[in-house]
Amino acid sequence: MTTELELHSEERFREIVELMPAAVYVCDMNGSIQQFNRKAVELWGREPYADEDVRFCGAIQHLRLDGSIIPRDELPIAETIRNGKPVRNQELLIERADGSRVVVMINVAPLRNAEGVLVGAINCFLDVTDRHQAEERLRQSERRLAEAQQVAHIGSWERDLRTNQVIWSDELYRLFGVREHEIDLSYEQFLNRLVPEEVDRARKLVTEAIRERRPFSVDYRIIRADGSIRVLHDRGSVILNEQGAPIRLVGTCQDVTERREAEQELQRQKVILQTIFDNIPVMISFVDASSRVQMVNRHWERVLGWSLEDAQSRDLLLEAYPDPADRARVIEYTLHPTPEWTDFKVRVHDGRTLDTIWSLIVLPDGTRIGLGQDITERKRAEDALQQSEERLFLAIHAADLGIFENDHQTNILYWSPMLRAILGWGAQEAASLEVYFRLTHPADRDRIVAAVYQALGPMSDGQYRVEHRVVRPDGGIRWISVWSRTSFEGGGDARRPLRTVGIVAEITERKQAEQTLRRGDDRIRSIIDAIPVMAWSVQLDGIIDFLNQRWTDYAGLSLEQYLEEPTRPIHPEDIPRVFEKWRAQMAAGEGYEDEMRLRRHDGQYRWFLVRTEPLRDEQGDIVKWYGVSTDIDDRKRAEQAVKQSQQLLHTVLTTLPVGVLVTNREADVILGNPAYKQIWGDIIILGRERRAQSKGFWHDSGKRIDSESWASARALSQGQTSLNELIDIETFDGRQKTIQNSAAPIRNSEGSIIGAVVVNEDVSERVSAESALRKSERILREAEKLGHTGSWEHDLVTGEIFNTEENLRLFFGDNRSKRARFEDYVDAIHPDDRPIVQGRHAQLLAEGGPRDIEFRVVWPDGSVHILFGRATVVRDDTGRATRIYGTNVDITERKQAEQALQNLSRRLLAVQEEERRHLARELHDEVGQLLTGLRLLLKPIGNYPTEVGQSKLEQAQAIVDKLLEKVRGLSFDLRPAALDQLGLIPALLELVDNYTRQTGVLVSFKHKNAENRFAPEVETTAYRIVQEALTNVARHAGVGGVTVRVWATPDLLSVQIEDRGRGFDPEGVLATSRSSGVAGMRERVTLLDGQLTIDSRPGDGTQITAELPLGRSTKEEKP
Amino acid sequence: MTISIVLADDHPVLRRGIRTLFEAEPDFCVVGEAADGLEAIRLVERMKPDVLVLDLMMPGLSGLELLRIVPQRSPQTRVVVVSMHGNNAFIAEALKNGAIGYVLKGCAEEEIIKAVHEAAAGRRFLSPPVTQIALDAYIEQAKAGPFDPHETLTPREREVLQLAAEGKTGPEIAARLHISQRTVENHRANLMRKLALENQSELVRHALRHGLISLEE
């Protein structure tokens, strides 16, 4: 059968076995090696033809894993040849020709011929030394892990995803405060130990991690068996099987309660700061040492009109201070800042110029905090603003970036302090491209040099973005990420780089994290890496015999280096204290715990908590010391940050010009700044008592504010943010003030209210000024109303029109719908006057024409009013008109009075002329004729005989009598002497007498209490009215009788003329201006402020009554 | 017996005319002439004439004024007024103030001489056409008449008074008279003023007194 084997398949068999990665050989029934492949020769380290015994195997010697020797006859293949049974996966050691040993795993199969008779055996074996060693290391690691965990209070766990069974390390039991037998180890049991509200979150997070097959890290609170609550930091990894399905979770737990508390306190401080920052009506900006604006608050943005992005991307200095002198002053102030408030005129985004005051605080790290107030518009308070946590984070993150700038023309390279810190390059040492290349890790150098020259080359788009390692002068290796952009001048071959600006971020931790992830398949490594502690052990003689990877990574020292100088990583200041304590504890055989600073590979010191525990044998003797160092730098930093933050808060609050008070949930005062104390009279009363004792009244209603209505109370109870409520207060020292009161709740990261910030601004002076202003405005308004004067202002820049109420009334009457637009005013102007007004307006703007104008306006109700306007143009320094200010007066009544006066005098003239014409006619026609006749009679009288002369004389005497009669009548018509000499009643009696004689109309004249004298104008008026009325009766009434009544009371003289004649329509008569008789009566009466009543209807008689006031007249008798 | 006379007239022509006239009378003796009222009163005081012939219209003190003063300064002096004004008002006024005679300028010369003689004898003289009857009628007329303010009301005011006295309200009156309520209020205010009434009860009393309403209703 062997023959057959050889005959049929020997060649093919050879080919196959030569190709196999495993070592293969065949033995016959005697154990002599018949065939073998090259791999077998490699493992044996020789050809199996040596003189020595090579039965069953080509190796020099064979051992079991425990080191005992296996005789060749007892080798597995010898067994198989004896009993025909195969051997599977058996491991043993073989000693090779050069004496080295390897672990092999063997598989032996019997060889039979066609008849099934055993003819030999074949052995396949593999070198499994590496795996074997790894398993050995694992066992060691596990042991050390357990020891380390115990010392560092870190527990580890493992969860079988199929059974949900959980394995805990001893330390984890201790963390939960339970003994091993007290807890049923299942995942659900673990969840029961969590604070109930965190169960869902923890479960969800872990489920997601399993689904996505990624490591996770989570904080949760647990309830220990003794009821206390601790915060655990849990990191876990998912272990997959060969098919990539999750089968197990492994992880570690660390008690981070203290650190979290410190972090929370820091967070709380941040929230308080942020709340203040967002709510105070003060502009705040944070500018870092390199003059980059890190953060500005919303008030800053609102007042100045620029956003944070503007502040970061534009040169606002130039825009905000266009005047070079102002700008120089600002720069000078920035270089030598003072916390004193300093005035600056700022031109803001929309072009307005504001008066502002600024105070600059410089923090030890070079950050400048600018506090600013807009004193131009102090009245307006700021809305509460929300700055997102993310932006804060980004700003802080951004500050860790290094910056460089390369001016290619001068070859000056600038590296920012942060960049120098990243590269470990001293502040004073020169920076150059060569230095950059030199610092670049040798393995990356070629690539980087090529990339730099490519970015600066003529074909470049100017972008440069690389990630590479640098080797710092102190030997530390860092990963950095570099972004830069180069600007060029010229084109083609002549294209030359001008300037390169770039930023550098350190990404070492990210790279390490990436590498850690890459190693994630190794369960052991993942656990070890997951331990956030450095572990080590020391022999009794003080020689350190173990340092974990984290330790060597951290210190950047190998075990050998460390052994040379064990104190090297410890901060020199800490060494004496640490060693004294360490020796004392060692001598006492006790565990040891201390905090100290340990130097990192990059030279930076971080705080660690170092713990050691003795390891004892069964007799209780110490055989070794184990130690762990836990990085507590974050906690230390958090504590320091809390302190710094408190200090910052204090500095800001002390400087703020507004009162700020911070209370906790119970309304106890935690913090109050000096401005607050000043407002309330230097006394701050704590707790709820404060509100009960604070006397406040709503400014609008004057009602007392009860303790639950204060803005701070509402902030705490309802989470309400109140802004700028105007309140009158009585301070604790008894003064009256008006304040603007704002309050906002402070929330923790879960959103629940943990306190309130109250902001008070003393606005007493402003309010009293405003009240005075309102008063003066009211007086102006009343004055304008009384004087029918309105004023207006037209802002030519904004187009805004300001009008006093009275001016609106002048233009639109009581209609309130129109007033808003400039066109409304134009529309109101009488169409005929519009060109004049507009022409004058343009003229006024151009060169300042006449300031006065008269024009008509048509009210919405259609009535026309005449306005007298006067305007002034206000111009800026360049002569550009910015505003027009003007006043208007309604002169309609004056105009009408003027018109009436004109009408009156015109009629007066007409009447006068008529009287003269009448007199002239009388004198000429009557008197003149009579005198002429008289002359003719008398001239020749001496020539006549006596009797004829006598007759002529008698004729002449008759003519003279007629003349006398005529002149007397003329005189009476013109002005009855009786009126002046005797008074109203005698004059009227004479009038009535003459009237009856001339017209035949009988007059019934009645008078009462009117016999005394009255003021001449009153008597004249009464007389003329009676005269006119009687004339009308004779002309129009068509009656034979009329009644005249005259009577007086102490206040009034009344005359009344009544007839039963035809009557007339008074309205119609008055409407026709020709009837000057009635109109004349009315005018006379009006002149004396009297009242004329005409009661008449056609066919129903007429009754005219004139009532003349006697107020001003005296009843003196006039001669 | 001689009658001593003082002439007071601001017109020299007229004065000379009268003097010429008087000098023709044997028992007339003109003891002084005055051109204005003040001069006249001084002369009367010094000369204490029997008769003062006085023009009513003079500068300085007017004739009427002079009339009132003369009896105090010279009780025996009688005054004859010579005037252009022939109407009863002046005559009545002059007589009321103490003149004993009244002669119109332009009447016959003998009238004035007669008036002086009569005056000196203490008798009244009025030159024609003035008669005592007309004068009495005038004087009667010039006295304040028995005149009731009620008659000064217009017909409309009487209607409003009637309705208001009956207790109607403004709107009711307006509806009844078909005029606006505002007009009603005007009428009401006017009539209250004319009748010097202060309030509604006085208005009702007035209406009762005039029989506009009665208590029986």
Side-chain angles (χ1 to χ4, degrees):
Chain A
M1 299 305 112
T2 311
T3 327
E4 247 178 46
L5 183 91
E6 285 167 0
L7 277 177
H8 296 290
S9 56
E10 186 178 343
E11 277 189 20
R12 190 179 299 164
F13 176 78
R14 279 210 162 273
E15 281 171 25
I16 294 169
V17 296
E18 284 304 326
L19 288 171
M20 277 176 67
V24 179
Y25 66 94
V26 178
C27 287
D28 61 14
M29 292 302 285
N30 298 321
S32 63
I33 296 169
Q34 298 293 316
Q35 288 160 335
F36 53 88
N37 66 359
R38 201 173 298 136
K39 191 76 187 170
V41 175
E42 268 176 40
L43 281 179
W44 289 328
R46 61 171 182 177
E47 296 270 335
Y49 306 120
D51 308 335
E52 293 166 46
D53 181 7
V54 290
R55 279 183 313 127
F56 300 110
C57 182
I60 305 288
Q61 200 173 186
H62 305 84
L63 304 101
R64 294 185 186 86
L65 288 179
D66 60 5
S68 57
I69 291 170
I70 310 172
R72 284 187 183 268
D73 293 346
E74 292 176 20
L75 281 172
I77 191 166
E79 296 287 334
T80 301
I81 288 171
R82 269 196 298 277
N83 59 24
K85 289 177 181 165
V87 177
R88 297 253 174 261
N89 293 339
Q90 192 170 340
E91 286 182 4
L92 45 87
L93 275 167
I94 59 171
E95 195 173 297
R96 307 171 73 230
D98 61 2
S100 65
R101 292 177 179 181
V102 293
V103 181
V104 294
M105 187 172 77
I106 61 168
N107 278 279
V108 183
L111 284 174
R112 297 176 192 275
N113 65 9
E115 288 80 35
V117 178
L118 194 66
V119 292
I122 181 165
N123 187 0
C124 272
F125 63 102
L126 286 167
D127 178 357
V128 293
T129 313
D130 289 351
R131 198 185 77 197
H132 195 80
Q133 282 174 348
E135 283 168 3
E136 183 56 31
R137 280 204 302 278
L138 168 65
R139 275 189 289 279
Q140 278 194 354
S141 290
E142 279 178 333
R143 199 182 62 244
R144 287 184 180 134
L145 180 64
E147 289 159 355
Q149 283 187 354
Q150 187 181 348
V151 185
H153 296 316
I154 290 178
S156 65
W157 52 267
E158 211 176 305
R159 177 175 146 209
D160 188 321
L161 290 173
R162 286 163 301 194
T163 64
N164 252 352
Q165 276 301 305
V166 176
I167 302 165
W168 282 12
S169 70
D170 294 350
E171 186 59 23
L172 197 50
Y173 284 103
R174 276 191 288 275
L175 282 179
F176 277 84
V178 291
R179 283 187 223 279
E180 201 168 339
H181 62 268
E182 287 174 348
I183 182 166
D184 170 27
L185 278 184
S186 70
Y187 185 52
E188 287 307 318
Q189 188 63 34
F190 156 74
L191 290 176
N192 282 343
R193 299 268 153 183
L194 264 53
V195 171
E197 53 264 40
E198 303 206 344
V199 172
D200 286 347
R201 186 171 61 88
R203 194 203 298 267
K204 187 161 169 262
L205 200 130
V206 172
T207 309
E208 273 175 16
I210 295 169
R211 197 172 59 230
E212 293 166 17
R213 294 145 171 70
R214 58 168 171 78
F216 60 89
S217 137
V218 58
D219 280 6
Y220 46 75
R221 286 174 294 167
I222 59 159
I223 306 167
R224 282 164 57 94
D226 62 7
S228 63
I229 291 180
R230 308 293 292 175
V231 182
L232 295 192
H233 181 66
D234 195 343
R235 298 184 200 205
S237 299
V238 184
I239 307 299
L240 309 176
N241 65 8
E242 291 79 357
Q243 285 78 41
I247 48 167
R248 262 202 320 278
L249 292 183
V250 296
T252 61
C253 276
Q254 185 180 11
D255 186 335
V256 292
T257 309
E258 283 81 11
R259 201 172 90 200
R260 290 287 178 265
E261 278 170 0
E263 282 170 0
Q264 270 175 7
E265 175 60 18
L266 178 63
Q267 186 62 28
R268 203 177 69 86
Q269 295 271 356
K270 266 192 192 168
V271 168
I272 291 174
L273 248 187
Q274 185 71 31
T275 314
I276 294 172
F277 186 73
D278 286 345
N279 286 290
I280 54 174
V282 173
M283 293 182 270
I284 302 180
S285 60
F286 284 78
V287 179
D288 67 18
S290 54
S291 288
R292 181 185 162 82
V293 180
Q294 288 187 320
M295 199 158 63
V296 297
N297 68 349
R298 283 281 294 275
H299 192 78
W300 189 98
E301 293 185 325
R302 242 188 73 178
V303 172
L304 301 181
W306 287 294
S307 64
L308 176 63
E309 287 72 28
D310 290 336
Q312 289 170 337
S313 60
R314 286 156 58 173
D315 187 1
L316 290 187
L317 199 61
L318 206 64
E319 289 183 66
Y321 307 99
D323 181 3
D326 280 353
R327 199 153 61 237
R329 205 161 70 85
V330 171
I331 292 167
E332 171 65 17
Y333 178 69
T334 326
L335 291 175
H336 305 286
T338 61
E340 301 296 319
W341 291 100
T342 312
D343 290 86
F344 292 104
K345 274 199 187 304
V346 181
R347 183 148 113 198
V348 298
H349 185 54
D350 62 10
R352 286 176 305 134
T353 299
L354 301 183
D355 287 311
T356 58
I357 50 177
W358 290 89
S359 169
L360 215 50
I361 301 166
V362 183
L363 300 183
D365 68 355
T367 302
R368 296 195 295 269
I369 303 175
L371 302 174
Q373 280 187 285
D374 174 8
I375 56 172
T376 317
E377 298 205 24
R378 238 177 186 160
K379 290 175 188 172
R380 237 173 282 162
E382 272 307 307
D383 292 333
L385 314 170
Q386 287 296 324
Q387 192 86 15
S388 74
E389 276 290 324
E390 186 185 339
R391 182 182 281 176
L392 189 68
F393 171 78
L394 284 175
I396 291 165
H397 184 74
D400 279 337
L401 295 172
I403 297 167
F404 66 86
E405 181 182 359
N406 194 353
D407 186 337
H408 297 292
Q409 287 169 317
T410 61
N411 239 0
I412 292 171
L413 184 60
Y414 163 78
W415 285 2
S416 72
M418 191 65 209
L419 176 55
R420 286 171 184 272
I422 291 171
L423 297 175
W425 198 244
Q428 303 303 324
E429 290 176 85
S432 70
L433 205 51
E434 285 70 31
V435 171
Y436 171 59
F437 290 145
R438 200 160 74 232
L439 291 173
T440 302
H441 194 283
D444 295 329
R445 198 171 289 150
D446 290 349
R447 174 169 68 90
I448 294 309
V449 171
V452 168
Y453 283 109
Q454 203 275 328
L456 298 177
M459 302 302 287
S460 164
D461 61 357
Q463 303 279 357
Y464 176 69
R465 177 157 192 176
V466 293
E467 286 181 8
H468 64 88
R469 284 162 292 180
V470 291
V471 182
R472 295 160 52 111
D474 62 9
I477 294 174
R478 290 286 182 282
W479 275 94
I480 60 170
S481 180
V482 185
W483 300 265
S484 77
R485 177 169 292 172
T486 305
S487 54
F488 294 88
E489 72 172 2
D493 287 338
R495 193 163 182 254
R496 286 186 300 115
L498 271 181
R499 189 162 163 272
T500 303
V501 178
I503 53 175
V504 176
E506 193 195 327
I507 55 166
T508 311
E509 283 184 9
R510 198 189 84 203
K511 283 287 177 187
Q512 282 174 349
E514 284 170 4
Q515 280 170 357
T516 305
L517 275 177
R518 276 189 218 112
R519 292 197 298 259
D521 57 342
D522 187 333
R523 177 166 81 95
I524 309 309
R525 290 303 278 262
S526 74
I527 292 178
I528 292 175
D529 287 345
I531 310 173
V533 296
M534 308 191 306
W536 39 271
S537 60
V538 189
Q539 296 171 15
L540 288 182
D541 54 10
I543 304 295
I544 289 163
D545 64 351
F546 166 72
L547 290 174
N548 73 349
Q549 183 67 28
R550 203 174 170 90
W551 224 124
T552 52
D553 282 352
Y554 177 82
L557 299 172
S558 65
L559 180 59
E560 292 72 26
Q561 286 173 312
Y562 186 54
L563 285 176
E564 282 172 20
E565 194 185 344
T567 59
R568 197 164 141 195
I570 302 174
H571 195 286
E573 288 175 15
D574 296 341
I575 289 175
R577 172 176 55 85
V578 165
F579 271 79
E580 188 185 336
K581 200 168 172 186
W582 163 238
R583 269 193 294 271
Q585 301 285 356
M586 268 182 77
E590 289 170 2
Y592 163 83
E593 186 174 310
D594 200 359
E595 289 180 2
M596 66 185 79
R597 281 164 287 178
L598 297 177
R599 197 174 80 164
R600 204 162 62 184
H601 48 77
D602 60 359
Q604 188 192 339
Y605 283 97
R606 291 176 67 84
W607 278 98
F608 280 82
L609 174 70
V610 178
R611 282 205 189 97
T612 56
E613 288 288 342
L615 183 70
R616 297 171 192 268
D617 59 15
E618 290 77 13
Q619 285 76 38
D621 296 328
I622 296 172
V623 293
K624 218 173 191 182
W625 290 90
Y626 275 101
V628 289
S629 305
T630 312
D631 188 336
I632 56 167
D633 203 59
D634 289 342
R635 194 184 85 199
K636 279 276 183 188
R637 276 175 195 277
E639 284 167 4
Q640 275 178 352
V642 167
K643 267 187 216 148
Q644 273 185 3
S645 166
Q646 269 171 339
Q647 207 174 353
L648 172 65
L649 189 65
H650 184 256
T651 313
V652 170
L653 288 179
T654 310
T655 318
L656 281 178
V658 293
V660 176
L661 193 78
V662 178
T663 75
N664 65 7
R665 185 78 192 86
E666 282 70 46
D668 301 320
V669 174
I670 301 173
L671 205 134
N673 72 345
Y676 191 91
K677 293 184 189 171
Q678 203 182 343
I679 287 173
W680 284 92
D682 252 352
I683 305 156
I684 287 189
I685 292 176
L686 296 179
R688 280 181 193 282
E689 274 295 287
R690 177 175 62 84
R691 281 202 297 270
Q693 296 202 11
S694 300
K695 269 191 197 167
F697 307 87
W698 298 111
H699 184 74
D700 291 339
S701 62
K703 272 204 276 188
R704 175 84 190 251
I705 302 168
D706 63 66
S707 65
E708 293 312 307
S709 298
W710 284 91
S712 55
R714 284 179 283 128
L716 287 174
S717 60
Q718 300 156 34
Q720 196 179 333
T721 297
S722 320
L723 283 181
N724 301 325
E725 292 173 344
L726 208 54
I727 288 173
D728 295 325
I729 58 165
E730 191 181 312
T731 63
F732 298 122
D733 57 359
R735 279 175 298 156
Q736 309 288 330
K737 285 181 183 173
T738 305
I739 59 168
Q740 270 183 343
N741 188 39
S742 306
I746 304 171
R747 294 174 187 276
N748 62 11
S749 50
E750 278 91 44
S752 30
I753 296 168
I754 56 168
V757 168
V758 182
V759 177
N760 284 177
E761 192 175 0
D762 186 343
V763 293
S764 310
E765 288 181 17
R766 197 195 83 205
V767 168
S768 65
E770 278 174 356
S771 134
L773 179 69
R774 270 197 297 278
K775 193 173 161 192
S776 94
E777 276 178 346
R778 199 186 62 238
I779 292 171
L780 174 70
R781 203 161 55 236
E782 284 167 358
E784 287 196 337
K785 199 168 182 181
L786 288 173
H788 291 295
T789 308
S791 51
W792 55 275
E793 202 176 317
H794 185 187
D795 190 323
L796 297 170
V797 179
T798 64
E800 278 176 308
I801 300 173
F802 165 79
N803 277 285
T804 58
E805 273 302 308
E806 190 57 24
N807 204 46
L808 292 171
R809 215 189 63 79
L810 290 180
F811 271 86
F812 309 116
D814 295 327
N815 188 314
R816 286 286 169 271
S817 66
K818 293 183 172 183
R819 57 169 55 187
R821 302 173 313 134
F822 182 65
E823 288 73 22
D824 288 342
Y825 298 87
V826 177
D827 288 347
I829 296 169
H830 194 287
D832 295 348
D833 292 351
R834 253 174 240 164
I836 308 169
V837 176
Q838 285 171 336
R840 191 66 67 77
H841 191 258
Q843 208 183 349
L844 200 59
L845 287 181
E847 81 273 10
R851 299 167 54 226
D852 300 345
I853 188 171
E854 268 183 39
F855 58 98
R856 288 166 294 172
V857 294
V858 184
W859 283 10
D861 64 10
S863 59
V864 177
H865 298 258
I866 305 166
L867 301 188
F868 172 81
R870 173 167 285 181
T872 308
V873 177
V874 179
R875 294 171 190 280
D876 63 13
D877 301 339
T878 66
R880 188 175 64 120
T882 54
R883 277 185 307 135
I884 307 185
Y885 172 78
T887 57
N888 288 312
V889 193
D890 189 336
I891 54 167
T892 312
E893 285 180 14
R894 204 179 82 198
K895 278 278 162 187
Q896 281 171 350
E898 280 176 10
Q899 194 66 45
L901 200 64
Q902 273 176 13
N903 289 343
L904 194 64
S905 50
R906 202 177 300 128
R907 194 156 62 239
L908 211 62
L909 284 175
V911 168
Q912 200 178 14
E913 284 306 310
E914 183 58 38
E915 286 284 298
R916 284 176 178 171
R917 201 178 298 119
H918 173 67
L919 260 180
R921 198 172 55 240
E922 289 285 316
L923 289 173
H924 180 267
D925 292 358
E926 305 287 335
V927 179
Q929 295 299 324
L930 287 171
L931 284 172
T932 309
L934 191 59
R935 188 171 178 272
L936 288 175
L937 272 174
L938 291 176
K939 194 178 177 185
I941 209 156
N943 304 338
Y944 292 121
T946 310
E947 57 274 24
V948 177
Q950 188 61 36
S951 155
K952 295 280 182 195
L953 271 176
E954 280 167 10
Q955 284 178 42
Q957 230 158 16
I959 290 176
V960 168
D961 286 345
K962 259 190 190 161
L963 265 173
L964 271 175
E965 181 71 18
K966 212 64 206 171
V967 169
R968 207 177 279 134
L970 270 176
S971 162
F972 178 79
D973 284 350
L974 282 175
R975 173 93 190 166
L979 188 58
D980 294 324
Q981 297 293 322
L982 306 176
L984 181 61
I985 298 299
L988 284 177
L989 285 168
E990 186 181 10
L991 172 70
V992 163
D993 198 30
N994 287 343
Y995 175 78
T996 303
R997 235 178 311 122
Q998 282 166 13
T999 62
V1001 178
L1002 290 172
V1003 179
S1004 162
F1005 182 66
K1006 298 180 178 182
H1007 56 98
K1008 191 174 179 181
N1009 303 332
E1011 292 72 36
N1012 290 327
R1013 299 301 302 262
F1014 304 100
E1017 64 271 19
V1018 175
E1019 291 183 333
T1020 306
T1021 301
Y1023 181 85
R1024 292 297 183 199
I1025 284 167
V1026 175
Q1027 186 181 31
E1028 181 66 34
L1030 288 178
T1031 307
N1032 288 340
V1033 169
R1035 276 193 200 146
H1036 307 297
V1039 287
V1042 60
T1043 305
V1044 174
R1045 297 185 190 92
V1046 181
W1047 72 100
T1049 64
D1051 301 325
L1052 285 176
L1053 173 67
S1054 304
V1055 295
Q1056 189 176 62
I1057 304 93
E1058 187 179 2
D1059 70 70
R1060 306 277 161 152
R1062 290 197 189 96
F1064 63 99
D1065 172 17
E1067 306 277 326
V1069 167
L1070 279 174
T1072 57
S1073 57
R1074 289 183 56 194
S1075 174
S1076 61
V1078 176
M1081 279 192 250
R1082 176 140 288 167
E1083 273 163 15
R1084 284 180 186 277
V1085 171
T1086 308
L1087 219 53
L1088 296 184
D1089 290 334
Q1091 192 180 334
L1092 185 79
T1093 316
I1094 300 175
D1095 193 89
S1096 180
R1097 267 161 294 182
D1100 212 10
T1102 302
Q1103 192 195 47
I1104 295 176
T1105 311
E1107 290 164 294
L1108 307 174
L1110 297 174
R1112 283 173 301 170
S1113 69
T1114 53
K1115 296 186 182 176
E1116 71 175 302
E1117 304 235 342
K1118 210 182 157 190
Chain B
M1 135 180 207
T2 309
I3 302 168
S4 59
I5 300 167
V6 166
L7 292 178
D9 196 317
D10 56 336
H11 295 91
V13 180
L14 208 80
R15 212 160 60 224
R16 200 179 317 128
I18 294 173
R19 190 186 178 109
T20 311
L21 203 62
F22 283 1
E23 279 169 354
E25 293 298 308
D27 55 341
F28 281 16
C29 175
V30 177
V31 296
E33 286 180 36
D36 63 54
L38 278 176
E39 203 181 340
I41 197 68
R42 273 197 300 274
L43 270 175
V44 166
E45 199 169 11
R46 200 165 71 231
M47 309 308 290
K48 308 261 188 296
D50 297 318
V51 175
L52 170 64
V53 176
L54 177 68
D55 182 7
L56 268 188
M57 304 296 185
M58 273 201 303
L61 282 168
S62 82
L64 288 173
E65 206 70 37
L66 221 55
L67 275 173
R68 285 195 286 275
I69 296 169
V70 168
Q72 300 163 16
R73 306 290 165 92
S74 176
Q76 76 271 29
T77 302
R78 307 266 151 71
V79 185
V80 172
V81 171
V82 182
S83 173
M84 283 286 287
H85 298 288
N87 71 58
N88 292 328
F90 274 96
I91 302 165
E93 204 65 29
L95 296 180
K96 198 170 102 189
N97 282 294
I100 197 159
Y102 196 102
V103 184
L104 284 174
K105 286 180 183 174
C107 67
E109 287 83 9
E110 54 271 27
E111 299 275 323
I112 189 167
I113 293 165
K114 194 174 177 192
V116 172
H117 274 124
E118 289 298 301
R123 288 189 292 273
R124 168 162 296 187
F125 177 86
L126 302 174
S127 73
V130 182
T131 63
Q132 190 60 48
I133 297 162
L135 211 55
D136 290 346
Y138 168 81
I139 289 164
E140 188 57 35
Q141 213 182 3
K143 282 185 193 159
F147 132 57
D148 185 343
H150 187 77
E151 62 189 71
T152 68
L153 299 185
T154 65
R156 203 43 125 189
E157 285 164 355
R158 284 163 211 246
E159 287 170 337
V160 172
L161 172 62
Q162 177 77 40
L163 294 169
E166 288 168 7
K168 301 283 189 297
T169 64
E172 285 168 349
I173 299 171
R176 176 79 72 86
L177 301 180
H178 306 293
I179 53 177
S180 78
Q181 200 177 323
R182 200 169 151 183
T183 310
V184 170
E185 293 310 320
N186 265 338
H187 286 311
R188 188 188 175 90
N190 285 343
L191 75 90
M192 297 283 274
R193 188 173 64 244
K194 278 180 181 172
L195 303 177
L197 303 176
E198 294 286 324
N199 49 42
Q200 176 70 13
S201 64
E202 287 187 12
L203 186 145
V204 172
R205 202 176 303 140
H206 178 90
L208 276 172
R209 203 178 295 139
H210 286 79
L212 301 178
I213 52 171
S214 65
L215 289 171
E216 280 73 46
E217 282 180 60

